[in-house]
Amino acid sequence: MTVSHASRALLAILARELLRFVQQRGRFFAALVRPLIWLLVFAAGFRASLGLSIIPPYETYIAYDVYVIPGLIGMIQLFSGMQNSLSMVYDREMGSMRVLLSTPLPRGFLLIARMFSGTVVSIIQVYAFILLAALFGTPLPWSGLLPLLPVLVLTGMALSALGMFLSSRVKQLENFAGVMNFLIFPMFFLSTALYPLWRIREGSVTLYHLCQYNPFTYVVELIRFTIYGQPNLPALGIVTATLVVFGAAALIGYTPARGGPTAGRAAA
């Protein structure tokens, strides 16, 4: 595979995902409705009852709606990554990926290109949500939104890698939809997306430890610290490790010689 071949394949996969995203307007609005409901309804209700102490990266007391913004950004990327993997299950059997996976292009490159294209779509949704949150009066440090871009690429790729690993193990579309729902909500609620760790520990030590072992916690914290211009090296390391581990597992799952989902067709 030459650089020219790789670039054409990457641009074709990216253009297809962007075209699908543009054509499926309901997908865009659905991606924004979920976090907006949390921001405008739940955050408004919790604002008066849930006090937040001064914890890094915040240097003063903050309103609850300010706290949940990084978690809702992570929610957008989590749902987008799982939805990208859900479409991969369909494309693998009847769509374009069935053809691409049988081409001489390296399988690892095709998976990375698919994850990257899904990440680009999620980033568009994230910045649209940030704009809407600002219009509704949630204060955000605008200086942190540009440094946030490479972090969103990393976190989006990590969550997409997790979804791709699941899609490599699940053969039927209906089964994957159930697995996806079983995974998304525990990952979201057992994290720092809605509450800080110290408050979770006050309620349940067991839940506190589950949050510590949840990779989505570190996705949210990496986004949170980046927005406020502060480094979080432990979160960066864990998110990177998540991308590497699940990316490698997805590649193994999609390798026919190892019994991946296209093994039967390759043998035939």
mmCIF file of all heavy atoms in Angstrom, residues 129-171:
data_model
loop_
_atom_site.group_PDB
_atom_site.id
_atom_site.type_symbol
_atom_site.label_atom_id
_atom_site.label_comp_id
_atom_site.label_asym_id
_atom_site.label_seq_id
_atom_site.Cartn_x
_atom_site.Cartn_y
_atom_site.Cartn_z
ATOM 1 N N PHE A 129 -22.603 21.134 20.145
ATOM 2 C CA PHE A 129 -23.182 21.124 21.497
ATOM 3 C C PHE A 129 -22.571 22.229 22.363
ATOM 4 O O PHE A 129 -23.292 22.894 23.127
ATOM 5 C CB PHE A 129 -22.938 19.765 22.149
ATOM 6 C CG PHE A 129 -23.211 19.757 23.623
ATOM 7 C CD1 PHE A 129 -24.508 19.850 24.098
ATOM 8 C CD2 PHE A 129 -22.172 19.664 24.532
ATOM 9 C CE1 PHE A 129 -24.767 19.843 25.468
ATOM 10 C CE2 PHE A 129 -22.420 19.661 25.892
ATOM 11 C CZ PHE A 129 -23.720 19.751 26.364
ATOM 12 N N ILE A 130 -21.269 22.430 22.259
ATOM 13 C CA ILE A 130 -20.618 23.494 23.036
ATOM 14 C C ILE A 130 -21.197 24.853 22.666
ATOM 15 O O ILE A 130 -21.445 25.705 23.538
ATOM 16 C CB ILE A 130 -19.093 23.454 22.816
ATOM 17 C CG1 ILE A 130 -18.496 22.201 23.474
ATOM 18 C CG2 ILE A 130 -18.428 24.709 23.367
ATOM 19 C CD1 ILE A 130 -17.024 22.007 23.201
ATOM 20 N N LEU A 131 -21.424 25.073 21.384
ATOM 21 C CA LEU A 131 -22.023 26.334 20.939
ATOM 22 C C LEU A 131 -23.421 26.504 21.511
ATOM 23 O O LEU A 131 -23.780 27.588 22.001
ATOM 24 C CB LEU A 131 -22.056 26.375 19.409
ATOM 25 C CG LEU A 131 -22.686 27.626 18.782
ATOM 26 C CD1 LEU A 131 -21.929 28.880 19.199
ATOM 27 C CD2 LEU A 131 -22.718 27.502 17.265
ATOM 28 N N LEU A 132 -24.220 25.450 21.486
ATOM 29 C CA LEU A 132 -25.568 25.528 22.043
ATOM 30 C C LEU A 132 -25.533 25.753 23.551
ATOM 31 O O LEU A 132 -26.340 26.521 24.093
ATOM 32 C CB LEU A 132 -26.338 24.246 21.730
ATOM 33 C CG LEU A 132 -26.765 24.048 20.273
ATOM 34 C CD1 LEU A 132 -27.412 22.683 20.089
ATOM 35 C CD2 LEU A 132 -27.717 25.157 19.833
ATOM 36 N N ALA A 133 -24.611 25.096 24.245
ATOM 37 C CA ALA A 133 -24.491 25.288 25.692
ATOM 38 C C ALA A 133 -24.147 26.733 26.019
ATOM 39 O O ALA A 133 -24.684 27.316 26.975
ATOM 40 C CB ALA A 133 -23.420 24.346 26.253
ATOM 41 N N ALA A 134 -23.270 27.337 25.217
ATOM 42 C CA ALA A 134 -22.923 28.746 25.430
ATOM 43 C C ALA A 134 -24.120 29.652 25.167
ATOM 44 O O ALA A 134 -24.348 30.621 25.900
ATOM 45 C CB ALA A 134 -21.750 29.128 24.528
ATOM 46 N N LEU A 135 -24.902 29.320 24.151
ATOM 47 C CA LEU A 135 -26.087 30.123 23.845
ATOM 48 C C LEU A 135 -27.119 30.048 24.972
ATOM 49 O O LEU A 135 -27.860 31.007 25.204
ATOM 50 C CB LEU A 135 -26.713 29.654 22.529
ATOM 51 C CG LEU A 135 -25.890 29.932 21.257
ATOM 52 C CD1 LEU A 135 -26.575 29.335 20.047
ATOM 53 C CD2 LEU A 135 -25.686 31.430 21.068
ATOM 54 N N PHE A 136 -27.142 28.921 25.688
ATOM 55 C CA PHE A 136 -28.074 28.770 26.806
ATOM 56 C C PHE A 136 -27.503 29.307 28.120
ATOM 57 O O PHE A 136 -28.104 29.117 29.177
ATOM 58 C CB PHE A 136 -28.480 27.314 26.973
ATOM 59 C CG PHE A 136 -29.506 26.851 25.977
ATOM 60 C CD1 PHE A 136 -29.169 25.958 24.979
ATOM 61 C CD2 PHE A 136 -30.812 27.330 26.037
ATOM 62 C CE1 PHE A 136 -30.116 25.524 24.054
ATOM 63 C CE2 PHE A 136 -31.764 26.899 25.123
ATOM 64 C CZ PHE A 136 -31.420 26.002 24.119
ATOM 65 N N GLY A 137 -26.323 29.924 28.047
ATOM 66 C CA GLY A 137 -25.798 30.623 29.215
ATOM 67 C C GLY A 137 -24.818 29.870 30.073
ATOM 68 O O GLY A 137 -24.494 30.326 31.182
ATOM 69 N N THR A 138 -24.302 28.738 29.626
ATOM 70 C CA THR A 138 -23.296 28.008 30.402
ATOM 71 C C THR A 138 -21.921 28.588 30.115
ATOM 72 O O THR A 138 -21.456 28.536 28.971
ATOM 73 C CB THR A 138 -23.310 26.511 30.046
ATOM 74 O OG1 THR A 138 -24.620 25.986 30.287
ATOM 75 C CG2 THR A 138 -22.300 25.754 30.889
ATOM 76 N N PRO A 139 -21.227 29.141 31.109
ATOM 77 C CA PRO A 139 -19.916 29.755 30.864
ATOM 78 C C PRO A 139 -18.827 28.708 30.652
ATOM 79 O O PRO A 139 -18.718 27.748 31.399
ATOM 80 C CB PRO A 139 -19.658 30.554 32.149
ATOM 81 C CG PRO A 139 -20.440 29.841 33.196
ATOM 82 C CD PRO A 139 -21.652 29.281 32.515
ATOM 83 N N LEU A 140 -18.038 28.912 29.615
ATOM 84 C CA LEU A 140 -16.936 28.008 29.307
ATOM 85 C C LEU A 140 -15.704 28.826 28.937
ATOM 86 O O LEU A 140 -15.829 29.903 28.340
ATOM 87 C CB LEU A 140 -17.297 27.085 28.138
ATOM 88 C CG LEU A 140 -18.355 26.004 28.395
ATOM 89 C CD1 LEU A 140 -18.740 25.327 27.090
ATOM 90 C CD2 LEU A 140 -17.847 24.985 29.391
ATOM 91 N N PRO A 141 -14.507 28.342 29.278
ATOM 92 C CA PRO A 141 -13.284 29.054 28.871
ATOM 93 C C PRO A 141 -13.001 28.812 27.386
ATOM 94 O O PRO A 141 -12.568 27.721 27.009
ATOM 95 C CB PRO A 141 -12.205 28.438 29.774
ATOM 96 C CG PRO A 141 -12.716 27.082 30.100
ATOM 97 C CD PRO A 141 -14.212 27.182 30.130
ATOM 98 N N TRP A 142 -13.242 29.806 26.567
ATOM 99 C CA TRP A 142 -13.083 29.640 25.120
ATOM 100 C C TRP A 142 -11.650 29.335 24.730
ATOM 101 O O TRP A 142 -11.400 28.701 23.695
ATOM 102 C CB TRP A 142 -13.574 30.895 24.401
ATOM 103 C CG TRP A 142 -15.046 31.105 24.545
ATOM 104 C CD1 TRP A 142 -15.681 31.953 25.407
ATOM 105 C CD2 TRP A 142 -16.090 30.416 23.833
ATOM 106 N NE1 TRP A 142 -17.056 31.850 25.277
ATOM 107 C CE2 TRP A 142 -17.334 30.912 24.326
ATOM 108 C CE3 TRP A 142 -16.105 29.440 22.852
ATOM 109 C CZ2 TRP A 142 -18.553 30.462 23.849
ATOM 110 C CZ3 TRP A 142 -17.323 28.982 22.377
ATOM 111 C CH2 TRP A 142 -18.526 29.493 22.859
ATOM 112 N N SER A 143 -10.696 29.746 25.559
ATOM 113 C CA SER A 143 -9.283 29.495 25.231
ATOM 114 C C SER A 143 -8.947 28.013 25.266
ATOM 115 O O SER A 143 -7.947 27.588 24.677
ATOM 116 C CB SER A 143 -8.375 30.242 26.220
ATOM 117 O OG SER A 143 -8.622 29.812 27.547
ATOM 118 N N GLY A 144 -9.770 27.208 25.932
ATOM 119 C CA GLY A 144 -9.474 25.784 26.012
ATOM 120 C C GLY A 144 -10.090 24.958 24.908
ATOM 121 O O GLY A 144 -9.827 23.751 24.831
ATOM 122 N N LEU A 145 -10.883 25.568 24.039
ATOM 123 C CA LEU A 145 -11.575 24.786 23.024
ATOM 124 C C LEU A 145 -10.673 24.358 21.875
ATOM 125 O O LEU A 145 -10.896 23.301 21.273
ATOM 126 C CB LEU A 145 -12.766 25.589 22.490
ATOM 127 C CG LEU A 145 -13.831 25.945 23.525
ATOM 128 C CD1 LEU A 145 -15.021 26.610 22.846
ATOM 129 C CD2 LEU A 145 -14.274 24.711 24.299
ATOM 130 N N LEU A 146 -9.645 25.150 21.567
ATOM 131 C CA LEU A 146 -8.717 24.739 20.515
ATOM 132 C C LEU A 146 -7.792 23.616 20.981
ATOM 133 O O LEU A 146 -7.635 22.609 20.270
ATOM 134 C CB LEU A 146 -7.913 25.939 20.013
ATOM 135 C CG LEU A 146 -6.961 25.658 18.843
ATOM 136 C CD1 LEU A 146 -7.736 25.107 17.648
ATOM 137 C CD2 LEU A 146 -6.204 26.929 18.448
ATOM 138 N N PRO A 147 -7.174 23.716 22.183
ATOM 139 C CA PRO A 147 -6.389 22.571 22.670
ATOM 140 C C PRO A 147 -7.223 21.323 22.878
ATOM 141 O O PRO A 147 -6.686 20.214 22.927
ATOM 142 C CB PRO A 147 -5.820 23.074 24.010
ATOM 143 C CG PRO A 147 -5.858 24.555 23.922
ATOM 144 C CD PRO A 147 -7.053 24.877 23.067
ATOM 145 N N LEU A 148 -8.532 21.488 22.990
ATOM 146 C CA LEU A 148 -9.410 20.340 23.181
ATOM 147 C C LEU A 148 -9.480 19.462 21.941
ATOM 148 O O LEU A 148 -9.747 18.245 22.060
ATOM 149 C CB LEU A 148 -10.815 20.836 23.549
ATOM 150 C CG LEU A 148 -11.887 19.782 23.814
ATOM 151 C CD1 LEU A 148 -11.514 18.925 25.023
ATOM 152 C CD2 LEU A 148 -13.248 20.444 24.033
ATOM 153 N N LEU A 149 -9.223 20.021 20.761
ATOM 154 C CA LEU A 149 -9.403 19.285 19.509
ATOM 155 C C LEU A 149 -8.560 18.007 19.447
ATOM 156 O O LEU A 149 -9.114 16.919 19.191
ATOM 157 C CB LEU A 149 -9.096 20.193 18.321
ATOM 158 C CG LEU A 149 -9.227 19.565 16.934
ATOM 159 C CD1 LEU A 149 -10.637 19.028 16.719
ATOM 160 C CD2 LEU A 149 -8.868 20.572 15.846
ATOM 161 N N PRO A 150 -7.217 18.054 19.664
ATOM 162 C CA PRO A 150 -6.464 16.793 19.612
ATOM 163 C C PRO A 150 -6.874 15.803 20.691
ATOM 164 O O PRO A 150 -6.792 14.584 20.492
ATOM 165 C CB PRO A 150 -5.002 17.236 19.787
ATOM 166 C CG PRO A 150 -5.074 18.589 20.406
ATOM 167 C CD PRO A 150 -6.340 19.200 19.898
ATOM 168 N N VAL A 151 -7.323 16.306 21.845
ATOM 169 C CA VAL A 151 -7.795 15.415 22.902
ATOM 170 C C VAL A 151 -9.066 14.701 22.468
ATOM 171 O O VAL A 151 -9.249 13.507 22.725
ATOM 172 C CB VAL A 151 -8.014 16.211 24.207
ATOM 173 C CG1 VAL A 151 -8.746 15.366 25.244
ATOM 174 C CG2 VAL A 151 -6.689 16.682 24.767
ATOM 175 N N LEU A 152 -9.957 15.417 21.789
ATOM 176 C CA LEU A 152 -11.185 14.795 21.280
ATOM 177 C C LEU A 152 -10.875 13.721 20.243
ATOM 178 O O LEU A 152 -11.592 12.715 20.153
ATOM 179 C CB LEU A 152 -12.105 15.858 20.684
ATOM 180 C CG LEU A 152 -12.748 16.838 21.660
ATOM 181 C CD1 LEU A 152 -13.566 17.877 20.904
ATOM 182 C CD2 LEU A 152 -13.617 16.111 22.671
ATOM 183 N N VAL A 153 -9.823 13.932 19.464
ATOM 184 C CA VAL A 153 -9.411 12.895 18.512
ATOM 185 C C VAL A 153 -8.986 11.642 19.272
ATOM 186 O O VAL A 153 -9.387 10.518 18.929
ATOM 187 C CB VAL A 153 -8.270 13.398 17.614
ATOM 188 C CG1 VAL A 153 -7.739 12.264 16.739
ATOM 189 C CG2 VAL A 153 -8.740 14.551 16.734
ATOM 190 N N LEU A 154 -8.186 11.826 20.332
ATOM 191 C CA LEU A 154 -7.715 10.687 21.113
ATOM 192 C C LEU A 154 -8.856 9.981 21.822
ATOM 193 O O LEU A 154 -8.979 8.741 21.753
ATOM 194 C CB LEU A 154 -6.670 11.161 22.128
ATOM 195 C CG LEU A 154 -6.142 10.094 23.097
ATOM 196 C CD1 LEU A 154 -5.429 8.987 22.337
ATOM 197 C CD2 LEU A 154 -5.224 10.717 24.142
ATOM 198 N N THR A 155 -9.704 10.737 22.510
ATOM 199 C CA THR A 155 -10.802 10.109 23.252
ATOM 200 C C THR A 155 -11.817 9.464 22.303
ATOM 201 O O THR A 155 -12.337 8.382 22.585
ATOM 202 C CB THR A 155 -11.506 11.144 24.139
ATOM 203 O OG1 THR A 155 -11.935 12.269 23.340
ATOM 204 C CG2 THR A 155 -10.575 11.652 25.230
ATOM 205 N N GLY A 156 -12.093 10.129 21.173
ATOM 206 C CA GLY A 156 -13.009 9.550 20.201
ATOM 207 C C GLY A 156 -12.470 8.252 19.618
ATOM 208 O O GLY A 156 -13.219 7.280 19.451
ATOM 209 N N MET A 157 -11.173 8.206 19.333
ATOM 210 C CA MET A 157 -10.570 6.989 18.803
ATOM 211 C C MET A 157 -10.595 5.869 19.842
ATOM 212 O O MET A 157 -10.830 4.705 19.511
ATOM 213 C CB MET A 157 -9.133 7.272 18.357
ATOM 214 C CG MET A 157 -9.013 8.168 17.141
ATOM 215 S SD MET A 157 -9.455 7.325 15.600
ATOM 216 C CE MET A 157 -8.034 6.239 15.393
ATOM 217 N N ALA A 158 -10.354 6.214 21.116
ATOM 218 C CA ALA A 158 -10.352 5.204 22.172
ATOM 219 C C ALA A 158 -11.742 4.582 22.330
ATOM 220 O O ALA A 158 -11.876 3.351 22.438
ATOM 221 C CB ALA A 158 -9.885 5.825 23.485
ATOM 222 N N LEU A 159 -12.776 5.414 22.345
ATOM 223 C CA LEU A 159 -14.137 4.894 22.481
ATOM 224 C C LEU A 159 -14.568 4.128 21.228
ATOM 225 O O LEU A 159 -15.287 3.127 21.319
ATOM 226 C CB LEU A 159 -15.103 6.037 22.770
ATOM 227 C CG LEU A 159 -14.889 6.737 24.130
ATOM 228 C CD1 LEU A 159 -15.791 7.956 24.246
ATOM 229 C CD2 LEU A 159 -15.127 5.772 25.285
ATOM 230 N N SER A 160 -14.126 4.582 20.066
ATOM 231 C CA SER A 160 -14.423 3.848 18.829
ATOM 232 C C SER A 160 -13.718 2.495 18.822
ATOM 233 O O SER A 160 -14.283 1.503 18.336
ATOM 234 C CB SER A 160 -13.997 4.663 17.612
ATOM 235 O OG SER A 160 -14.800 5.816 17.455
ATOM 236 N N ALA A 161 -12.485 2.446 19.352
ATOM 237 C CA ALA A 161 -11.755 1.175 19.423
ATOM 238 C C ALA A 161 -12.486 0.181 20.312
ATOM 239 O O ALA A 161 -12.584 -1.013 19.996
ATOM 240 C CB ALA A 161 -10.337 1.415 19.943
ATOM 241 N N LEU A 162 -13.037 0.669 21.431
ATOM 242 C CA LEU A 162 -13.829 -0.196 22.300
ATOM 243 C C LEU A 162 -15.050 -0.737 21.556
ATOM 244 O O LEU A 162 -15.363 -1.932 21.628
ATOM 245 C CB LEU A 162 -14.263 0.583 23.540
ATOM 246 C CG LEU A 162 -15.243 -0.112 24.497
ATOM 247 C CD1 LEU A 162 -14.647 -1.408 25.027
ATOM 248 C CD2 LEU A 162 -15.623 0.824 25.636
ATOM 249 N N GLY A 163 -15.735 0.135 20.830
ATOM 250 C CA GLY A 163 -16.890 -0.302 20.061
ATOM 251 C C GLY A 163 -16.519 -1.275 18.957
ATOM 252 O O GLY A 163 -17.237 -2.255 18.713
ATOM 253 N N MET A 164 -15.388 -1.034 18.286
ATOM 254 C CA MET A 164 -14.961 -1.930 17.212
ATOM 255 C C MET A 164 -14.604 -3.306 17.759
ATOM 256 O O MET A 164 -14.857 -4.334 17.112
ATOM 257 C CB MET A 164 -13.755 -1.335 16.476
ATOM 258 C CG MET A 164 -14.095 -0.182 15.565
ATOM 259 S SD MET A 164 -15.194 -0.706 14.231
ATOM 260 C CE MET A 164 -15.481 0.876 13.429
ATOM 261 N N PHE A 165 -14.017 -3.339 18.950
ATOM 262 C CA PHE A 165 -13.723 -4.629 19.561
ATOM 263 C C PHE A 165 -15.008 -5.406 19.813
ATOM 264 O O PHE A 165 -15.089 -6.608 19.536
ATOM 265 C CB PHE A 165 -12.967 -4.421 20.877
ATOM 266 C CG PHE A 165 -12.930 -5.644 21.750
ATOM 267 C CD1 PHE A 165 -12.203 -6.759 21.368
ATOM 268 C CD2 PHE A 165 -13.639 -5.681 22.937
ATOM 269 C CE1 PHE A 165 -12.186 -7.899 22.169
ATOM 270 C CE2 PHE A 165 -13.621 -6.805 23.733
ATOM 271 C CZ PHE A 165 -12.898 -7.925 23.353
ATOM 272 N N LEU A 166 -16.018 -4.715 20.330
ATOM 273 C CA LEU A 166 -17.304 -5.383 20.568
ATOM 274 C C LEU A 166 -17.932 -5.861 19.263
ATOM 275 O O LEU A 166 -18.468 -6.968 19.192
ATOM 276 C CB LEU A 166 -18.255 -4.432 21.290
ATOM 277 C CG LEU A 166 -17.884 -4.067 22.730
ATOM 278 C CD1 LEU A 166 -18.874 -3.042 23.272
ATOM 279 C CD2 LEU A 166 -17.858 -5.293 23.614
ATOM 280 N N SER A 167 -17.859 -5.018 18.226
ATOM 281 C CA SER A 167 -18.461 -5.402 16.948
ATOM 282 C C SER A 167 -17.738 -6.584 16.312
ATOM 283 O O SER A 167 -18.330 -7.326 15.529
ATOM 284 C CB SER A 167 -18.465 -4.207 15.990
ATOM 285 O OG SER A 167 -17.153 -3.891 15.547
ATOM 286 N N SER A 168 -16.454 -6.776 16.648
ATOM 287 C CA SER A 168 -15.718 -7.914 16.102
ATOM 288 C C SER A 168 -16.121 -9.224 16.760
ATOM 289 O O SER A 168 -15.900 -10.306 16.198
ATOM 290 C CB SER A 168 -14.204 -7.700 16.279
ATOM 291 O OG SER A 168 -13.825 -7.818 17.648
ATOM 292 N N ARG A 169 -16.707 -9.133 17.963
ATOM 293 C CA ARG A 169 -17.112 -10.342 18.675
ATOM 294 C C ARG A 169 -18.587 -10.674 18.483
ATOM 295 O O ARG A 169 -18.997 -11.810 18.709
ATOM 296 C CB ARG A 169 -16.834 -10.189 20.184
ATOM 297 C CG ARG A 169 -15.446 -9.707 20.539
ATOM 298 C CD ARG A 169 -14.357 -10.452 19.808
ATOM 299 N NE ARG A 169 -14.421 -11.892 20.010
ATOM 300 C CZ ARG A 169 -13.691 -12.771 19.349
ATOM 301 N NH1 ARG A 169 -12.854 -12.359 18.395
ATOM 302 N NH2 ARG A 169 -13.801 -14.054 19.601
ATOM 303 N N VAL A 170 -19.397 -9.666 18.121
ATOM 304 C CA VAL A 170 -20.833 -9.882 17.971
ATOM 305 C C VAL A 170 -21.147 -10.014 16.490
ATOM 306 O O VAL A 170 -20.806 -9.145 15.693
ATOM 307 C CB VAL A 170 -21.635 -8.726 18.590
ATOM 308 C CG1 VAL A 170 -23.130 -8.942 18.398
ATOM 309 C CG2 VAL A 170 -21.313 -8.603 20.078
ATOM 310 N N LYS A 171 -21.814 -11.091 16.118
ATOM 311 C CA LYS A 171 -22.035 -11.383 14.699
ATOM 312 C C LYS A 171 -23.348 -10.834 14.165
ATOM 313 O O LYS A 171 -23.480 -10.573 12.981
ATOM 314 C CB LYS A 171 -22.005 -12.903 14.471
ATOM 315 C CG LYS A 171 -20.748 -13.583 14.990
ATOM 316 C CD LYS A 171 -19.484 -13.046 14.326
ATOM 317 C CE LYS A 171 -18.254 -13.841 14.714
ATOM 318 N NZ LYS A 171 -17.931 -13.757 16.147
#
